[in-house]
């Protein structure tokens, strides 16, 4: 029992500390989510405890430290410092090395709006360019054949604008996106081609072992991400091929992260880079897919009275993997999966309250 | 056979591409090492091939593209873009959020010089502060008990200056560093204490399961890093405790990285962050430990005629791990290990030619 209690304390304390630290001034719960490292379930639990213990209070949806909370903050020696670079927004990578950001924004301005049907939601155009810049830096862009599985971010068109890859193949389930990508690609003369694909099916036969690089943003259930990464992996040539995908802390606990990492190693990948908070989802745009239907919105509203998501709180870590030998996808062949691809107990944004 | 050839090509091509890309202008081999992702063995192999194929030539220790090389560069669509932020030197984290960098430089100005006996070599003061800032950001600094295994970087004194941790315990084999750290800590009133430790021994009994965070920069053989990380891990309280260490691409191939990652997961850690090139070793200072004795110096000299290491080419990825359950160190108890802790076929800087 003694050991169990000790673990428990370390585990909880980090999130509590980050909350108390950043409540140096009043903040909305959405701003706070942006500043802590934990997943959403843990965030809600810790915030609930702090409210119950009287260290934090909630007034009209804003959070404040009580005087008891201030004492605790001082006891724990918590202080606010600005650690992030303001020029590159803390990413280290500049947002427009190729000089195509304006054109890219023009291209994406009429994009199909995100739909809950396929759990869409896209990252900021600046971050798409940063992601491409990082892929470029690694030597994974020039003259390469690249497969993109699911492209509501429209990264295929951004890569097309750099004129660097040899060929980009997009697999998408959403016909609106397929048409949009193919139309723009034809208009601009990009080597980008999109076709319909359902992740429950195997890759089309002509795409097996044909690509140097994959890019995808999988759903974050264990079964779902294993499926996405297996399909993506089966498109890779082999040793030296690489893959890029996003993973959140918000909807994937670290226990889940560990299982995902284990499966990546099993597939003969090594993890080479993990860039925290590299991808930011602009809430203003993605909110079209029904703010009030987010499970997390309901839980935060009940806890704090916050009525509006006022911060781009949803962000993900960019992960790069590289094959060190023949790639061994965990899943192959057709699978039957329904909601369990998309939804588990940690899916507090992706899963819509209405769908549960 | 067909598959093997295909792998081979992807594997090699990335490094070749990065070399040809950055030879847009003349560069020393040391500048080039700084710009490619491969380990040193692979770098030397690929450079050798490019020289033999007549794509690159070497004049007085500087490297140039031949006209054949320029054709290949254009065929592969290779172009140079500046992707890194110049304000934070591409790290995303600012170098002095705590406002203590000047004082830290004063403190470290009389540091003991690196010695080959313990494979020392320290990172830039700015990068020590960045590393502390990242640890702070994660909520791992304030009010925590921190164990540092091996501290030629003097990160303990940098953390002391922030006044944020509760206690810092340094385990060191080098008596000069122990004395230096304890003297400065006493002078400044830091809660920092250093004592003698040989990684072949178990942690002192009073340090088992006592710390929230470990920091170390292990040697990069599989056996050596397993030993360092096991000792460090056995000092952690458990679930929620975290660890920070550096790992290079230069002396550790990706095959070795995968084995290290596998062992981390086995110990019940999850990898949460990997910041490429976060730590830079200032060659000017670390060269006191005998430039010409580096194995890599000899190989580069023989290949290119380069007589001087003119670039801070040695850099490492900062890796953060977190325990998701009880920590299970792979090694415990006393071990007998000699050179194989320090040296394997990938140790082209750490291993001194004279010692082989």
């Amino acid at each position: 029992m003694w050991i169990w209690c000790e673990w428990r304390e370390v585990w909880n304390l980090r999130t509590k500390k980050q909350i108390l630290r950043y409540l140096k001034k009043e903040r909305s719960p959405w701003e706070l989510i942006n500043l802590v490292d934990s997943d959403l379930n843990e965030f809600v639990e810790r915030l609930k405890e702090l409210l119950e213990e009287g260290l934090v209070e909630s007034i009209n949806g804003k959070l404040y430290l009580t005087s008891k909370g201030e004492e605790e903050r001082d006891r724990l020696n918590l202080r606010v410092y600005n650690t992030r670079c303001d020029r590159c927004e803390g990413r280290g990578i500049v947002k427009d090395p190729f000089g195509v950001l304006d054109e890219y924004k023009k291209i994406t301005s009429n994009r199909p709006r995100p739909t809950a049907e396929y759990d869409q939601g896209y990252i900021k155009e600046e971050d798409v360019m940063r992601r491409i810049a990082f892929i470029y830096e690694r030597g994974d862009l020039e003259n390469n054949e690249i497969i993109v599985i699911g492209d509501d971010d429209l990264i295929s068109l951004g890569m097309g604008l750099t004129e660097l890859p040899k060929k980009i193949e997009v697999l998408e389930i959403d016909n609106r996106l397929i048409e949009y990508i193919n139309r723009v690609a034809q208009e601009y003369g990009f080597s980008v081609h999109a076709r319909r694909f359902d992740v429950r099916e195997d890759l089309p036969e002509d795409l097996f072992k044909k690509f140097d690089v994959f890019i995808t943003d999988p759903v974050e259930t264990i079964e779902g991400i294993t499926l996405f990464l297996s399909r993506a992996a089966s498109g890779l040539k082999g040793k030296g091929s690489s893959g890029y995908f996003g993973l959140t802390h918000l909807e994937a606990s670290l226990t889940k992260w560990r299982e995902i990492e284990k499966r990546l190693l099993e597939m003969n990948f090594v993890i080479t880079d993990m860039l925290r908070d590299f991808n930011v989802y602009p809430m203003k745009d993605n909110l079209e897919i029904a703010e009030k239907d987010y499970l997390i919105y309901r839980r935060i509203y009940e806890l704090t009275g916050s009525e509006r998501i006022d911060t781009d709180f949803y962000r993900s870590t960019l992960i790069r993997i590289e094959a060190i030998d023949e790639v061994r996808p965990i899943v192959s062949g057709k699978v039957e999966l329904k909601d369990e691809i998309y939804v588990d107990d940690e899916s507090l944004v992706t899963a819509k309250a209405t769908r549960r």
Side-chain angles (χ1 to χ4, degrees), chain A:
Chain A
M1 275 313 278
W2 176 83
I3 289 176
W4 185 84
C5 293
E6 196 171 45
W7 298 345
R8 187 82 197 157
E9 196 183 336
V10 183
W11 186 253
N12 292 346
L13 204 54
R14 180 178 299 110
T15 305
K16 278 199 181 184
K17 278 162 68 174
Q18 287 182 321
I19 294 174
L20 292 175
R21 180 204 281 170
Y22 291 114
L23 283 181
K24 180 102 182 170
K25 60 175 200 175
E26 68 158 56
R27 292 189 192 268
S28 85
W30 306 102
E31 287 177 276
L32 262 190
I33 289 176
N34 220 8
L35 294 164
V36 301
D37 286 359
S38 70
D39 60 81
L40 290 171
N41 277 322
E42 203 203 330
F43 173 78
V44 171
E45 278 314 300
R46 297 297 85 75
L47 181 58
K48 197 155 163 269
E49 283 169 19
L50 287 167
L51 288 163
E52 283 167 3
E53 289 164 17
L55 298 172
V56 172
E57 61 185 341
S58 168
I59 302 172
N60 296 330
K62 290 275 184 185
L63 299 167
Y64 302 81
L65 277 194
T66 61
S67 57
K68 194 175 159 197
E70 283 170 5
E71 277 167 35
E72 181 69 0
R73 180 196 64 204
D74 294 343
R75 191 186 72 79
L76 292 174
N77 204 11
L78 306 174
R79 303 187 208 161
V80 179
Y81 294 100
N82 294 320
T83 50
R84 291 274 154 175
C85 175
D86 57 2
R87 183 171 300 175
C88 62
E89 292 169 55
R91 250 65 66 84
I93 307 282
V94 293
K95 68 183 175 192
D96 192 21
F98 310 106
V100 301
L101 182 59
D102 287 346
E103 192 67 26
Y104 182 61
K105 284 187 169 173
K106 218 170 85 188
I107 283 182
T108 58
S109 59
N110 294 314
R111 70 199 308 158
R113 310 312 308 168
T115 159
E117 190 181 351
Y118 304 121
D119 286 309
Q120 293 172 339
Y122 56 81
I123 64 173
K124 291 202 310 195
E125 288 81 6
E126 287 78 0
D127 293 344
V128 173
M129 276 300 144
R130 275 188 226 280
R131 191 190 283 210
I132 296 170
F134 186 72
I135 295 170
Y136 158 79
E137 218 188 49
R138 304 279 73 74
D140 285 340
L141 202 61
E142 295 141 313
N143 202 44
N144 272 354
E145 301 181 78
I146 299 173
I147 185 167
V148 181
I149 312 232
D151 194 20
D152 41 334
D153 291 328
L154 298 178
I155 194 171
S156 60
L157 298 175
M159 292 191 292
L161 269 176
T162 69
E163 300 176 349
L164 292 171
K166 189 192 283 177
K167 193 181 104 180
I168 299 162
E169 188 78 29
V170 177
L171 300 187
E172 242 303 330
I173 196 164
D174 184 344
N175 285 322
R176 301 172 312 150
L177 280 166
I178 295 168
E179 279 162 30
Y180 195 78
I181 291 167
N182 283 332
R183 183 161 50 75
V184 174
Q186 193 167 24
E187 195 180 314
Y188 279 78
F190 297 156
S191 289
V192 175
H193 175 253
R195 64 168 101 169
R196 196 163 196 283
F197 174 69
D198 183 327
V199 77
R200 287 171 296 189
E201 312 273 346
D202 238 334
L203 279 195
E205 216 164 305
D206 61 311
L207 303 185
F208 270 103
K209 299 190 184 223
K210 286 289 188 296
F211 295 90
D212 303 287
V213 176
F214 78 69
I215 300 169
T216 189
D217 268 299
V219 295
E220 305 207 338
T221 62
I222 294 280
E223 293 316 309
I225 199 167
T226 304
L227 193 58
F228 269 83
L229 293 174
S230 292
R231 299 309 187 205
S234 65
L236 292 183
K237 287 178 184 170
K239 184 171 172 174
S241 296
S242 60
Y244 295 82
F245 65 98
L247 186 61
T248 76
H249 287 91
L250 298 174
E251 299 198 279
S253 65
L254 291 184
T255 306
K256 199 194 273 180
W257 274 50
R258 177 159 169 278
E259 182 58 31
I260 293 165
E261 291 176 7
K262 195 163 148 271
R263 293 184 182 200
L264 288 169
L265 301 185
E266 273 171 31
M267 289 199 260
N268 266 338
F269 289 113
V270 58
I271 305 164
T272 67
D273 300 88
M274 284 188 162
L275 302 171
R276 190 180 284 257
D277 300 345
F278 201 81
N279 306 310
V280 177
Y281 291 75
M283 277 298 133
K284 188 164 51 65
D285 296 333
N286 289 305
L287 279 181
E288 296 185 25
I289 52 176
E291 175 175 29
K292 293 192 170 55
D293 282 348
Y294 287 163
L295 285 176
I296 186 65
Y297 175 84
R298 296 205 180 171
R299 285 178 67 180
I300 292 289
Y301 173 72
E302 284 159 19
L303 198 58
T304 68
S306 157
E307 289 182 339
R308 209 169 53 81
I309 297 181
D310 58 7
T311 303
D312 294 343
F313 75 94
Y314 201 78
R315 60 218 147 88
S316 72
T317 294
L318 176 64
I319 298 178
R320 179 183 184 274
I321 57 177
E322 185 172 323
I324 58 150
D325 206 332
E326 189 176 13
V327 176
R328 293 192 296 231
I330 288 174
V331 183
S332 62
K334 187 174 172 162
V335 296
E336 296 286 343
L337 279 173
K338 286 177 190 162
D339 263 9
E340 61 269 37
I341 298 183
Y342 294 113
V343 177
D344 65 16
D345 287 344
E346 296 172 1
S347 316
L348 296 179
V349 179
T350 305
K352 300 302 165 296
T354 47
R355 238 179 38 195
R356 273 247 165 132

